[in-house]
């Protein structure tokens, strides 16, 4: 993660001082390999499976290269994930069924790292992995669990039906796009397989906010379809985790207040509200860097502020302080106990599922904790 880069570099320095070679990968290092190479011996650019055998062989022969560039691997050839390496205190097991995203959201670094082509893992491999983990709770880490094509939809259907057929008895949540509401039968099968919550990237409730982020799918469906989409998902007994962004170029202090009111009025069950953050490797970052709008550019030290709560850029329609104060106010309203209780009761009514309502309640409590711990601040160059 970008915000943890300074700490990662610090840890790398410790090992290098003790003559231990350090190899780093991931999105941040892939986007900024020259920065990472100031602190590590080698950088793997892209998904590591494509080059990892070469890295290991070169390490064993004492010939580590500075940069390895990985081709996108065939997901049918991936090694079996080592879930036994995770600490047993983790409630959720993380499962991946696909990689890549054909969307082109302005703020997102996923297509640049995983590619625009939606790639699928074999369903049987996924079912075997799910069966192997002791965790009852799962998080499918895909950027869209049902994808954007008939092939991807069929892949998801086979996965959910396989979970039911094998009696895996897991409860899970995943990310999806609004288009999943156009597939009510798939939603019903997902719910039967254990789906309790879907994270949808709503971002904003106005066309201008969607244009700011190049959220083409939401624009195509239309903001007027939000209510119907949420209702369709609820009818399957599934909660909606709505992700919203504060600080888009069309935003003003007044529109921030309107967004907060919209979230409260809407039937969104769980709220993820974040400050617009220009991550390296995105068009948003490139544009803001070129126009001098990034207000804390002393990297890598300032990467620690790029965690979706602090204001690290100069907004177009208000001051940095107005954005920070607006988000603080939003957090105080959205995550107040009375409003969270209202959301809980609404989820219970809309989904007719106490278990789903409990999922939503616990998720909101987690977001409340994060909001209280990460009170938005303005980051400026000293």
């Amino acid at each position: 993660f970008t915000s943890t880069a300074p700490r990662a570099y610090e840890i790398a320095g410790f090992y290098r001082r003790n003559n231990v070679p350090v190899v780093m990968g991931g999105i941040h290092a892939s986007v900024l390999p020259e920065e990472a190479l100031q602190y590590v011996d080698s950088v793997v650019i892209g998904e590591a499976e494509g080059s990892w055998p070469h890295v290991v062989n070169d390490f064993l022969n004492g010939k580590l290269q500075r940069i390895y560039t990985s081709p996108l691997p065939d997901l049918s050839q991936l090694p079996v994930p080592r879930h036994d390496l995770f600490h047993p205190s983790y409630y959720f097991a993380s499962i991946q069924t696909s990689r890549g995203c054909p969307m082109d959201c302005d703020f997102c670094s996923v297509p640049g790292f995983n590619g625009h082509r939606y790639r699928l893992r074999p369903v049987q491999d996924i079912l075997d992995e799910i069966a192997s983990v002791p965790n009852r709770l799962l998080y499918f880490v895909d950027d869209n669990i049902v994808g954007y094509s008939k092939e991807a939809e069929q892949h998801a259907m086979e996965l959910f039906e396989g979970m039911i057929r094998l009696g895996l008895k897991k409860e899970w949540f995943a990310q999806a796009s609004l288009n999943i509401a156009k597939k009510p039968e798939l939603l019903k099968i997902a719910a039967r397989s254990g789906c309790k919550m879907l994270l949808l990237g709503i971002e904003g409730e106005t066309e201008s906010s969607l244009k700011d982020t190049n959220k083409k799918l939401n624009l195509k469906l239309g903001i007027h379809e939000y209510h119907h989409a949420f209702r369709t998902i609820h009818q399957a007994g599934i909660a909606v985790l709505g992700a919203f962004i504060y600080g888009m170029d069309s935003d003003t202090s007044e529109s921030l207040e309107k967004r907060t009111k919209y979230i409260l009025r809407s039937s969104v069950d769980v709220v993820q509200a974040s400050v617009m953050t220009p991550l390296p490797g995105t068009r948003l970052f490139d544009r803001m860097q070129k126009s001098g709008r990034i207000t804390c550019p002393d990297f890598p030290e300032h990467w620690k502020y790029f965690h979706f709560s602090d204001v690290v850029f100069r907004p177009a329609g208000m001051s940095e302080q107005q954005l920070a104060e607006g988000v603080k106010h939003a957090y105080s309203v959205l995550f107040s106990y009375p409003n969270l209780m209202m959301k809980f009761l609404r989820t219970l009514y809309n989904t007719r599922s106490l278990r789903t309502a409990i999922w939503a309640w616990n998720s909101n409590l987690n977001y409340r904790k994060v909001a209280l711990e990460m009170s938005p601040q303005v980051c400026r160059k000293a």
Side-chain angles (χ1 to χ4, degrees):
F1 294 107
T2 288
S3 61
T4 59
R7 177 60 176 159
Y9 293 153
E10 182 182 337
I11 294 171
F14 168 81
Y15 284 106
R16 293 183 81 193
R17 287 192 297 272
N18 287 277
N19 298 316
V20 178
V22 178
V23 180
M24 183 174 286
I27 294 177
H28 185 90
S30 294
V31 172
L32 299 171
E34 294 304 322
E35 175 189 277
L37 283 169
Q38 298 176 56
Y39 306 93
V40 303
D41 298 282
S42 297
V43 169
V44 175
I45 297 176
E47 297 177 16
E49 294 93 347
S51 59
W52 194 246
H54 303 293
V55 175
V56 172
N57 185 64
D58 287 351
F59 167 75
L60 293 176
N61 288 287
K63 297 179 180 179
L64 272 178
Q65 302 174 35
R66 285 173 58 79
I67 290 180
Y68 295 85
T69 302
S70 290
L72 293 177
D74 180 350
L75 299 192
S76 67
Q77 303 298 318
L78 295 182
V80 178
R82 291 285 306 278
H83 285 275
D84 58 298
L85 297 178
F86 285 93
H87 195 279
S89 65
Y90 280 98
Y91 287 117
F92 285 84
S94 297
I95 308 289
Q96 190 171 50
T97 78
S98 64
R99 291 180 186 171
C101 180
M103 299 293 104
D104 198 24
C105 297
D106 197 49
F107 55 84
C108 184
S109 57
V110 169
F113 184 76
N114 298 113
H116 287 274
R117 185 170 63 87
Y118 193 74
R119 293 168 290 138
L120 303 170
R121 281 182 70 195
V123 170
Q124 190 58 53
D125 288 358
I126 304 166
L127 292 172
D128 290 344
E129 182 182 354
I130 293 172
S132 73
V133 298
N135 312 63
R136 185 187 177 204
L137 306 179
L138 306 178
Y139 172 37
F140 287 111
V141 300
D142 308 50
D143 293 285
N144 189 335
I145 189 65
V146 299
Y148 308 89
S149 66
K150 285 294 182 182
E151 179 190 9
E153 182 180 338
Q154 183 61 34
H155 178 269
M157 182 69 83
E158 291 176 9
L159 172 62
F160 304 154
E161 289 176 340
M163 294 175 70
I164 296 168
R165 183 180 67 254
L166 295 173
L168 295 179
K169 298 187 183 304
K170 305 289 187 179
E171 292 185 349
W172 58 270
F173 80 106
Q175 299 178 73
S177 293
L178 275 171
N179 64 344
I180 197 171
K182 300 290 186 181
K183 314 175 197 302
E185 291 305 313
L186 180 62
L187 283 168
K188 291 177 184 178
I189 299 298
R192 285 182 56 203
S193 74
C195 180
K196 298 300 178 187
M197 188 166 66
L198 290 171
L199 190 160
L200 305 180
I202 310 301
E203 322 314 351
E205 78 293 352
T206 64
E207 288 190 358
S208 58
S209 61
L210 298 180
K211 290 177 181 177
D212 285 342
T213 55
N214 199 39
K215 197 76 177 182
K216 293 180 180 178
L217 180 60
N218 290 23
L219 276 168
K220 181 179 179 180
L221 292 173
I223 56 177
H224 59 279
E225 285 291 312
Y226 283 3
H227 177 73
H228 175 72
F230 301 156
R231 184 171 62 182
T232 303
I233 295 169
H234 286 149
Q235 287 173 343
I238 299 171
V240 173
L241 195 173
F244 293 85
I245 295 176
Y246 287 74
M248 291 173 275
D249 277 357
S250 61
D251 279 343
T252 63
S253 294
E254 292 74 22
S255 69
L256 299 188
E257 184 71 24
K258 290 179 180 178
R259 184 157 302 135
T260 301
K261 291 179 179 178
Y262 169 81
I263 296 170
L264 286 179
R265 290 195 308 268
S266 76
S267 56
V268 167
D269 305 286
V270 183
V271 181
Q272 181 190 95
S274 59
V275 177
M276 176 65 83
T277 302
L279 296 176
T282 65
R283 290 198 315 279
L284 177 65
F285 180 86
D286 293 341
R287 188 171 65 252
M288 287 192 171
Q289 187 178 51
K290 288 177 182 177
S291 60
R293 291 177 60 190
I294 295 178
T295 54
C296 46
D298 291 340
F299 304 128
E301 176 62 23
H302 279 167
W303 290 129
K304 64 185 178 184
Y305 300 112
F306 284 63
H307 50 61
F308 304 100
S309 286
D310 285 344
V311 179
V312 298
F313 70 99
R314 187 166 57 255
M318 69 194 99
S319 69
E320 299 104 297
Q321 194 62 43
Q322 284 176 314
L323 176 55
E325 292 299 326
V327 177
K328 282 183 186 178
H329 174 70
Y331 286 172
S332 69
V333 173
L334 295 171
F335 299 110
S336 69
Y337 279 118
N339 283 329
L340 293 186
M341 180 55 70
M342 179 186 69
K343 288 284 186 187
F344 170 79
L345 294 173
R346 187 180 290 164
T347 302
L348 183 60
Y349 177 81
N350 287 335
T351 65
R352 301 295 197 271
S353 169
L354 177 60
R355 184 62 183 165
T356 298
I358 291 172
W359 259 73
W361 170 259
N362 288 333
S363 299
N364 273 323
L365 290 183
N366 287 333
Y367 280 115
R368 170 187 162 85
K369 181 180 179 181
V370 172
L372 294 177
E373 290 178 352
M374 307 288 282
S375 180
Q377 305 292 326
V378 173
C379 172
R380 291 193 184 95
K381 183 176 181 179

